[in-house]
Amino acid sequence: MSDKDSPQSASEHLKLEGNELYKKNAFSQAYKKYSEAIQHDDKNAVLYCNRAACSLGLNRFMDASTDARKATELNPGYAKAWGRLAKAQMMLNSPARAVDSWKRAIATLPIENLTPMEEKLRTQYKDELGTAQAKATENTDNPEVLRANVAATEQDQLPWNVASKLISDLTRTNTAGSSAWIINYAYTNWTNAITGMKQGKEVYVEPQGKSYMGDLRVIEGFSNAMTADSRVFHISESDFMEMYNKQMVFEMCYRKAWDRSGARDIMVEAPKRLEAEGWSSVRPALSLTVRAWIMRGFFEDVLHKSVDVALEYFTSALELLQWGSQRWKDVPYDVKGNVFQPTFIRAVKSIRLNSYMKAYMLDPGNNTKYSLKILLDGANELIAETNIMRGQQDSQGDAGFYLAFYCYPLGKAHALRGFYYQHTGFLLREATGMTTEVRLLYTLGAEAYRRTTQYIPDDDEYHVWFLHCAFHLQFEAGAPIKDLLESLDQIHAKMPGMKKIWGIYMRMNMDQRNRELQADMKLRDDLHEAIASGQIRQHDLGKVMYKPGSEP
């Protein structure tokens, strides 16, 4: 074989092609070139480091972390690899790990006689180290505890406690359309996981020494609860995070899960392990890896308000599930695992889309990296899939499960359609003013928000809020007074039933929503008073009423 045809020569050629693509910010194409190069030379640290740079450019921080770490393993003295690992760790909200990586990056540089480039890197790395150290100091696991804000006399008003008291009557009257079912289903999974986690304990075993013994179904329970209804998340135990972290390490070690790999790396490694060890090893490892990512996503969102990091974990979980579903489509679920069930994947899709919507709200507009069109396409796909599956599902089973994995994903998908039309209208209005096209978008948005109420029970705060969103768009578009009043009357009629279950939850977590709903009710009262006093007469009800600032 000539040098020209050697694996190293082929690898170098592909690397150079990747470099040119990277310079053009063609990160996806460059990633593929480096991947092809790695197939020829899988011990080349530069290739992994370059591929990590592509993943950073694509906002795929878990994959970037995997490749950068691989580069440091192949070449511990590779400063740029340590730097890229640190960047990925910072983007994954792991500043303590980033501090270690930045220190390693600095330590690999010469102490004296530095080149201008090395001087520049040292200065940059020291600045980045300072930022990571500051972030590590402030980024403590000290969440706002839900129950800490509730007086002892109000504990029985928490949604799951109210729901548990309603279940017997709902069962007796064969009433499936209540949010009590879904929050009770989620809470049952949550409390079972808490109970299992509290049973874990450290033990001393010869000859290994200190070890941990516990229930292997805890992370499964937490993730089942959160995929059913994330509003169940609350912490009443002061040592929750300490217990949770010990539990996670225990299950990860026992199940041999992928704790430091991104989705793309696992797509390569899982088939190899399957061939070597079989499904008894791969099934629990894949399941726990996905569930751990889902839980990490929720923690980043709820505890740290890091929506972009949460989105990364949810995206990685969904990609791995979709890949596995296709690769092993003929393998029974009891062999490959329940995480590949359509209901579970659909729940993850819904969670990811909701996270994507939150990310857009933090960075809205025409120049955002978050596309409204992606939201619309995702919502339409979810609606199509769920409608097909609903036709195959017997709703006479577990009402909580049916609501959580069929009805609510459908309702939320229609709400995402409403969000798309609403914010597309906002952007167009900023550019052109209030036009017929803007009003059409608002009308379509209102219709989509109203559609959600066909799937979400009317005693759920979601139901009332989406009615408010529909009303808001009607008002913006300039709807007849009678239509606006009809919408306000619907919201008013649903408020007592909703507050019975969700009143204290909204009071504690949703001040802005409460204020907007109160404003709705005041407008309703004012309109009815105006009608009663004769200020608004019968023939006026057909007249258009515009929200201030929305007039033509």
Side-chain angles (χ1 to χ4, degrees), residues 18 21 31 54 88 121 136 154 223 227 254 258 299 378 382 395-396 409 423 446 468 513 537 544 551:
L21 289 166
Y31 185 99
C54 294
L121 285 176
E154 296 180 316
S223 59
T227 51
Y254 190 91
W258 287 273
F299 286 150
L382 195 56
S395 63
Q396 298 305 308
H423 287 270
H468 160 82
R513 286 193 180 186
R537 301 185 181 183
V544 170
E551 296 87 349

Side-chain angles (χ1 to χ4, degrees), residues 222-340:
F222 280 133
S223 59
N224 283 344
M226 295 298 283
T227 51
D229 193 333
S230 61
R231 293 172 295 184
V232 76
F233 182 87
H234 63 285
I235 296 175
S236 54
E237 298 79 9
S238 60
D239 58 347
F240 177 93
M241 290 309 303
E242 180 183 356
M243 287 192 295
Y244 180 87
N245 289 333
K246 288 180 179 178
Q247 181 71 36
M248 180 63 76
V249 171
F250 163 64
E251 292 196 35
M252 279 279 184
C253 290
Y254 190 91
R255 301 295 196 192
K256 296 194 294 183
W258 287 273
D259 62 336
R260 291 195 171 189
S261 296
R264 291 178 180 179
D265 187 55
I266 296 172
M267 291 175 193
V268 174
E269 295 302 320
K272 295 178 183 177
R273 187 188 294 187
L274 179 61
E275 185 176 352
E277 303 177 21
W279 278 112
S280 61
S281 172
V282 172
R283 179 180 58 254
L286 280 174
S287 176
L288 181 58
T289 299
V290 166
R291 292 177 183 278
W293 287 349
I294 290 169
M295 291 306 298
R296 178 67 184 271
F298 280 120
F299 286 150
E300 291 297 340
D301 184 5
V302 178
L303 302 186
H304 301 301
K305 311 303 179 187
S306 301
V307 176
D308 52 342
V309 180
L311 180 59
E312 163 73 353
Y313 281 102
F314 295 143
T315 299
S316 295
L318 181 58
E319 282 193 353
L320 190 57
L321 290 172
Q322 291 177 320
W323 166 82
S325 293
Q326 284 301 309
R327 185 176 182 92
W328 300 306
K329 59 185 178 182
D330 296 325
V331 178
Y333 295 117
D334 61 349
V335 175
K336 62 187 175 185
N338 285 328
V339 290
F340 293 107

